[in-house]
Amino acid sequence: MKHFAETIDAVNAQFHVADGLMESGKVTEGENIWRGQIVFLASALDFYMHELTKYGLCEIYDENWERTEKYENLQVNMKMIEVALKAGEDIDWFLEYVNSHYRAITMVSYESVTDQFRLLGINLSNVAERAFYQRGGTEKTKDKFKRRLNELFTRRNIIAHQTDRAHTDARVKDITKEIVQSFIDDVEKIVNAIDTEVRNK
């Protein structure tokens, strides 16, 4: 949470930079700051999920959390098993395994985040309710959870891989300060909800 909060502070600080550019007439440059904020926001969530995965798997390994079916079916190669047997009670081998196994996996999309929930035994319904419950709301909390993660993941990919241009006609997608702020607000709700659920474990 500390690392996530630090990154969110850095992302929010960029609004001041974008505002200054906009005020001086450098609209494109200001919009590009907003696009950068979306990329860094997705990175903040991704890194949080990686750290949570390491923490949660160690908690399961140490028998502090219940084992999950996905945990019991983790694939460990023989080289790592040999290291584990020689290490005895030392858990460093397990952290090395988790780091190498998950380092190339991006954990921002709904599918990847909920896959980690199943691995760690985190209740998706509880997280979605905490993040998005709204009395009289028309959208189910799980649906909003899924939609917002996938919207962030998609937009981040379009920015990072296509300079925020549509494949069909290469037009740059519209972006506003409000779009960025809405993403930040929702990701903070999601991470705070995950944090509460994990602390309750």
Side-chain angles (χ1 to χ4, degrees):
M1 280 302 288
K2 179 176 180 286
H3 296 148
F4 177 77
E6 287 171 354
T7 306
I8 291 298
D9 287 345
V11 168
N12 280 322
Q14 294 306 302
F15 280 121
H16 178 70
V17 177
D19 289 345
L21 289 167
M22 292 291 192
E23 288 165 10
S24 67
K26 296 181 177 179
V27 175
T28 301
E29 291 83 350
E31 289 176 345
N32 285 335
I33 296 293
W34 292 336
R35 290 183 176 94
Q37 286 175 284
I38 289 175
V39 173
F40 274 96
L41 177 64
S43 294
L45 175 60
D46 187 30
F47 191 70
Y48 170 81
M49 289 301 301
H50 275 86
E51 290 200 309
L52 178 63
T53 298
K54 283 194 285 188
Y55 176 79
L57 287 176
C58 288
E59 286 296 289
I60 295 171
Y61 181 85
D62 287 338
E63 301 179 352
N64 295 323
W65 288 6
E66 287 184 29
R67 298 166 82 91
T68 64
E69 184 179 339
K70 282 186 69 67
Y71 172 85
E72 291 181 348
N73 289 302
L74 287 173
Q75 301 294 313
V76 182
N77 63 38
M78 279 305 298
K79 181 179 177 184
M80 196 56 71
I81 289 171
E82 289 172 5
V83 171
L85 290 171
K86 291 174 184 170
E89 295 294 316
D90 189 357
I91 198 173
D92 286 348
W93 75 270
F94 188 63
L95 279 171
E96 183 181 328
Y97 160 75
V98 172
N99 281 329
S100 66
H101 185 73
Y102 289 102
R103 74 170 153 235
I105 297 172
T106 303
M107 301 180 197
V108 177
S109 70
Y110 173 79
E111 183 180 321
S112 61
V113 169
T114 55
D115 198 45
Q116 295 314 103
F117 284 5
R118 285 189 292 277
L119 173 66
L120 302 175
I122 295 171
N123 187 299
L124 167 61
S125 296
N126 289 350
V127 171
E129 283 292 310
R130 276 196 185 91
F132 294 118
Y133 175 76
Q134 190 174 11
R135 186 170 300 198
T138 56
E139 187 176 21
K140 292 180 181 175
T141 56
K142 280 167 83 170
D143 292 341
K144 184 166 184 182
F145 183 85
K146 179 178 183 176
R147 178 174 62 80
R148 291 305 281 161
L149 282 178
N150 284 338
E151 285 172 350
L152 174 66
F153 184 61
T154 299
R155 190 66 187 260
R156 175 258 176 214
N157 286 346
I158 292 170
I159 293 167
H161 302 295
Q162 301 161 215
T163 61
D164 212 18
R165 293 179 181 273
H167 270 305
T168 51
D169 58 10
R171 282 192 182 178
V172 177
K173 291 177 66 69
D174 289 335
I175 191 162
T176 64
K177 185 176 185 177
E178 290 71 30
I179 288 171
V180 179
Q181 190 62 66
S182 177
F183 274 131
I184 293 170
D185 292 345
D186 284 346
V187 168
E188 283 188 293
K189 287 176 189 172
I190 289 167
V191 169
N192 286 329
I194 296 169
D195 182 65
T196 302
E197 185 69 12
V198 167
R199 290 178 190 277
N200 287 341
K201 286 175 73 67

